[in-house]
Amino acid sequence: MTDSSRILIVDDESGMCRFLSIMLGREGYSVTVVSSGTEALEAFRNDVFHAVITDIKMPGMSGIELLRAIRALDPVVPVIVMTAFASLDTAIEAVNQGAFHYFIKQARNEEIKLVVRRALETTRLRRENRVLLDEVRQSAPTRRIVGESESLRGVFATIRKVAPTDSTVLLCGESGTGKELFAREIHAASRRREGPFVSINCGALPEGLLESELFGHVKGSFTGAVRDKEGLFSVASDGTFLLDEVGETSPAIQVKLLRVLQEREIVPVGGHKPVKVNARLIAATNADLEKAVEAGTFRADLFYRLHVIPVVLPPLRERADDIPLLAVHFLKRHCRISDRSGMEISEAALEVLAAYDWPGNVRELENIIERSVILEESDTVTPESLPEKIRQGPSRSGDPAVGECTGTLESIERAYLVKVLRETGWKKKRASSILGINSSTLYRKIQRYGLEQTGPTAD
């Protein structure tokens, strides 16, 4: 989310409101504070908010009641609940009823900021999904992936062959190449197109929560499990289930995934009775799973079950002819989102974009176009509208740090992380923006690759 993100804080304790308002204001968010659920509902009806933070226990309308009322008005906006230690069970109940997350009032500042960033990222992704759905409904043909390059035509040829089957597909490609879009393309062309498309990022959740999300749980299986919960494998029944970043799963989760592929059944957390599932599985990764198998971090039997039909998605630098098409496509999209009309992109700007190496792939290109739409005051995107790193950055002749890689996705990603972190002085917020990932994912990748800061402290 950008600094224009709007947050509504609801608490009858003025000190807590003041603390959150100052802390989140320093993060660049626009904060509105109210002291009761009634005031919160009135503010929510009259203004736009991207996230709501509410206390659980308040005079009059409780946080649980406010949660239900807000979800009735807007089921998309994330609601975060605050709790004291004594009301922790109530907070967990709120999460089970649809709250995005909770934090204890004594939580560290960084924990609170992380929860808020995740909530705002969820709002952004859901808004983008609605825009994409609108585009799909209004466009013909229905294909959502932009590009006509030779390498992309090869991918589409494979998709046309595999889509009508129920075979497992493994999408391999660098971060930002659009693996979820290709998975949706397979689903849309399949016999399961009328069923649900469900996806989960396996690297974004801790093991315990991921297990519960994948397989569901039974009431009483752990603290806070106040009712049975259906797992996403069951939710995806008769449809398609995308496991993104499957290489990030733990050995325990890998064992359960293997059972799903072999037996087509799951066992909910705390349960004993197998539940049959009927979902077509697509897995995606930006890691080299064969290397992970050799290193012993990924099960060989699961790898071969997933590797039935591998589809390698080309990085943007290998489909340079598509860059102008994509740039114009993203320009139109973000002009519509920003309510700007008549913007164009100059031929000179397109030439600059076409000469850049795009280590962050399609996601990085879209971020640059979105930035240009927001910051450019005229009706034309020119080379001067683009960041200096695009105008003077690594060309297709190859950046030395990346060029030294031997070609594995993992080595390329590690080299690019090092390069961006050094260029930004290890300013992780700026680096994650350039990389097109959220801060928590960047921190995880830094730990995964054992990267050490080589410059002054930046965050």
Side-chain angles (χ1 to χ4, degrees):
M1 296 295 293
T2 65
D3 288 350
S4 61
S5 297
R6 296 176 55 80
I7 301 173
L8 177 63
I9 297 174
V10 192
D11 198 335
D12 60 324
E13 295 180 18
S14 59
M16 191 66 188
C17 288
R18 186 164 54 252
F19 161 72
L20 288 174
S21 181
I22 293 173
M23 180 181 68
L24 297 177
R26 287 174 177 169
E27 293 295 299
Y29 306 129
S30 174
V31 179
T32 299
V33 174
V34 295
S35 59
S36 71
T38 303
E39 291 180 79
L41 278 182
E42 183 179 355
F44 195 85
R45 289 189 182 102
N46 295 326
D47 211 337
V48 175
F49 295 97
H50 301 105
V52 178
I53 303 174
T54 179
D55 191 12
I56 286 285
K57 293 188 175 181
M58 297 182 292
M61 182 183 293
S62 70
I64 298 289
E65 292 170 327
L66 176 60
L67 166 66
R68 295 192 188 109
I70 288 177
R71 286 184 62 80
L73 292 171
D74 186 345
V76 172
V77 68
V79 178
I80 303 165
V81 295
M82 297 182 289
T83 178
F85 286 112
S87 57
L88 184 56
D89 288 343
T90 308
I92 295 173
E93 178 189 355
V95 172
N96 285 333
Q97 293 190 27
F100 176 80
H101 212 296
Y102 70 87
F103 61 79
I104 297 171
K105 288 188 174 182
Q106 291 82 2
R108 293 179 298 134
N109 291 6
E110 286 306 313
E111 293 176 359
I112 297 173
K113 292 176 186 177
L114 179 59
V115 170
V116 171
R117 284 197 296 268
R118 286 175 175 169
L120 294 172
E121 177 68 6
T122 297
T123 300
R124 183 183 69 82
L125 290 174
R126 286 173 175 171
R127 185 190 302 129
E128 288 180 355
N129 286 342
R130 287 201 300 267
V131 172
L132 282 173
L133 286 173
D134 289 340
E135 288 180 351
V136 169
R137 294 188 185 103
Q138 296 169 10
S139 64
T142 58
R143 202 182 84 184
R144 294 165 289 179
I145 300 170
V146 177
E148 301 294 340
S149 61
E150 186 67 31
S151 58
L152 204 57
R153 286 200 293 270
V155 172
F156 283 127
T158 303
I159 286 177
R160 282 194 297 271
K161 294 176 183 178
V162 70
T165 74
D166 271 347
S167 298
T168 301
V169 177
L170 179 63
L171 298 174
C172 306
E174 297 175 14
S175 179
T177 49
K179 291 183 283 292
E180 181 167 343
L181 275 180
F182 281 94
R184 289 183 180 275
E185 195 71 24
I186 293 171
H187 173 71
S190 74
R191 292 173 295 188
R192 295 173 175 265
R193 66 177 69 88
E194 300 301 324
F197 178 90
V198 179
S199 67
I200 190 170
N201 187 322
C202 299
L205 299 174
E207 180 181 337
L209 182 55
L210 177 61
E211 184 179 18
S212 175
E213 289 294 314
L214 290 174
F215 310 112
H217 63 249
V218 299
K219 181 179 178 180
S221 56
F222 54 85
T223 302
V226 297
R227 56 186 174 86
D228 290 351
K229 178 182 178 180
E230 194 175 32
L232 292 181
F233 270 108
S234 296
V235 173
S237 185
D238 298 324
T240 304
F241 191 15
L242 170 63
L243 291 176
D244 200 1
E245 290 194 36
V246 69
E248 299 287 339
T249 53
S250 67
I253 297 291
Q254 290 173 30
V255 171
K256 291 202 167 190
L257 290 177
L258 185 62
R259 177 173 183 166
V260 176
L261 290 166
Q262 290 177 336
E263 308 296 336
R264 294 294 171 180
E265 63 182 27
I266 60 173
V267 178
V269 177
H272 303 286
K273 184 179 179 181
V275 177
K276 287 292 182 182
V277 293
N278 178 29
R280 196 256 185 91
L281 185 65
I282 299 177
T285 181
N286 60 12
D288 188 330
L289 292 187
E290 291 187 88
K291 291 283 187 182
V293 169
E294 292 175 6
T297 59
F298 199 83
R299 293 180 63 98
D301 46 7
L302 177 58
F303 170 73
Y304 291 116
R305 285 281 182 176
L306 295 174
H307 202 256
V308 177
I309 302 179
V311 179
V312 179
L313 306 183
L316 189 54
R317 62 182 171 274
E318 293 180 8
R319 40 183 293 219
D321 291 346
D322 291 335
I323 292 174
L325 295 174
L326 285 162
V328 172
H329 170 74
F330 291 138
L331 181 71
K332 291 179 179 178
R333 172 191 293 177
H334 288 287
C335 281
R336 184 163 57 251
I337 293 173
S338 303
D339 198 24
R340 293 192 65 173
S341 59
M343 281 198 76
E344 298 179 344
I345 185 165
S346 70
E347 289 296 328
L350 289 175
E351 290 177 5
V352 171
L353 295 174
Y356 185 63
D357 201 45
W358 298 110
N361 293 295
V362 178
R363 184 185 296 126
E364 184 184 9
L365 173 59
E366 181 173 8
N367 289 344
I368 293 301
I369 296 299
E370 179 182 6
R371 172 191 184 276
S372 300
V373 169
I374 293 171
L375 299 181
E376 178 56 55
E377 296 180 355
S378 72
D379 289 334
T380 303
V381 176
T382 66
E384 288 69 32
S385 311
L386 305 173
E388 183 178 354
K389 77 181 187 76
I390 302 297
R391 301 195 304 268
Q392 303 177 6
S395 67
R396 203 156 281 105
S397 59
D399 178 82
V402 178
E404 292 170 2
C405 297
T406 58
T408 67
L409 296 172
E410 196 170 39
S411 62
I412 292 171
E413 181 179 57
R414 186 186 190 282
Y416 184 53
L417 284 173
V418 171
K419 177 180 180 299
V420 171
L421 287 166
R422 286 174 177 171
E423 288 181 349
T424 59
W426 280 75
K427 294 181 180 178
K428 298 182 185 67
K429 285 176 64 177
R430 184 179 171 195
S432 61
S433 176
I434 293 172
L435 292 164
I437 59 178
N438 58 43
S439 298
S440 60
T441 300
L442 176 59
Y443 276 100
R444 189 175 65 253
K445 289 182 183 295
I446 289 173
Q447 292 176 339
R448 174 184 175 186
Y449 292 123
L451 303 182
E452 295 183 1
Q453 184 166 331
T454 56
T457 301
D459 289 3

